[in-house]
mmCIF file of all heavy atoms in Angstrom:
data_model
loop_
_atom_site.group_PDB
_atom_site.id
_atom_site.type_symbol
_atom_site.label_atom_id
_atom_site.label_comp_id
_atom_site.label_asym_id
_atom_site.label_seq_id
_atom_site.Cartn_x
_atom_site.Cartn_y
_atom_site.Cartn_z
ATOM 1 N N ASP A 107 -0.858 -14.320 7.578
ATOM 2 C CA ASP A 107 -1.742 -15.467 7.650
ATOM 3 C C ASP A 107 -1.029 -16.577 8.368
ATOM 4 O O ASP A 107 0.152 -16.856 8.118
ATOM 5 C CB ASP A 107 -2.121 -15.967 6.252
ATOM 6 C CG ASP A 107 -3.037 -15.004 5.529
ATOM 7 O OD1 ASP A 107 -3.846 -14.352 6.218
ATOM 8 O OD2 ASP A 107 -2.937 -14.900 4.300
ATOM 9 N N ASN A 108 -1.705 -17.202 9.302
ATOM 10 C CA ASN A 108 -1.144 -18.336 10.023
ATOM 11 C C ASN A 108 -1.119 -19.527 9.070
ATOM 12 O O ASN A 108 -2.105 -19.860 8.459
ATOM 13 C CB ASN A 108 -2.023 -18.629 11.242
ATOM 14 C CG ASN A 108 -1.405 -19.670 12.142
ATOM 15 O OD1 ASN A 108 -0.669 -20.554 11.684
ATOM 16 N ND2 ASN A 108 -1.704 -19.576 13.425
ATOM 17 N N LEU A 109 0.037 -20.154 8.938
ATOM 18 C CA LEU A 109 0.186 -21.277 8.006
ATOM 19 C C LEU A 109 -0.732 -22.451 8.324
ATOM 20 O O LEU A 109 -1.105 -23.195 7.425
ATOM 21 C CB LEU A 109 1.650 -21.750 7.974
ATOM 22 C CG LEU A 109 2.664 -20.731 7.447
ATOM 23 C CD1 LEU A 109 4.071 -21.293 7.562
ATOM 24 C CD2 LEU A 109 2.338 -20.363 6.023
ATOM 25 N N GLY A 110 -1.105 -22.588 9.569
ATOM 26 C CA GLY A 110 -2.007 -23.672 9.955
ATOM 27 C C GLY A 110 -3.444 -23.402 9.561
ATOM 28 O O GLY A 110 -4.319 -24.223 9.781
ATOM 29 N N GLY A 111 -3.710 -22.248 8.989
ATOM 30 C CA GLY A 111 -5.052 -21.908 8.531
ATOM 31 C C GLY A 111 -5.982 -21.437 9.623
ATOM 32 O O GLY A 111 -7.175 -21.352 9.430
ATOM 33 N N SER A 112 -5.422 -21.104 10.780
ATOM 34 C CA SER A 112 -6.303 -20.687 11.891
ATOM 35 C C SER A 112 -6.404 -19.170 12.010
ATOM 36 O O SER A 112 -6.601 -18.661 13.083
ATOM 37 C CB SER A 112 -5.784 -21.302 13.205
ATOM 38 O OG SER A 112 -4.463 -20.825 13.450
ATOM 39 N N GLY A 113 -6.252 -18.475 10.893
ATOM 40 C CA GLY A 113 -6.461 -17.032 10.939
ATOM 41 C C GLY A 113 -5.209 -16.233 10.769
ATOM 42 O O GLY A 113 -4.277 -16.621 10.096
ATOM 43 N N ILE A 114 -5.155 -15.089 11.434
ATOM 44 C CA ILE A 114 -4.075 -14.139 11.317
ATOM 45 C C ILE A 114 -3.172 -14.234 12.516
ATOM 46 O O ILE A 114 -3.635 -14.363 13.663
ATOM 47 C CB ILE A 114 -4.645 -12.707 11.198
ATOM 48 C CG1 ILE A 114 -5.598 -12.574 10.012
ATOM 49 C CG2 ILE A 114 -3.537 -11.661 11.120
ATOM 50 C CD1 ILE A 114 -4.953 -12.664 8.656
#
Side-chain angles (χ1 to χ4, degrees):
D107 290 327
N108 188 331
L109 296 176
S112 61
I114 303 291

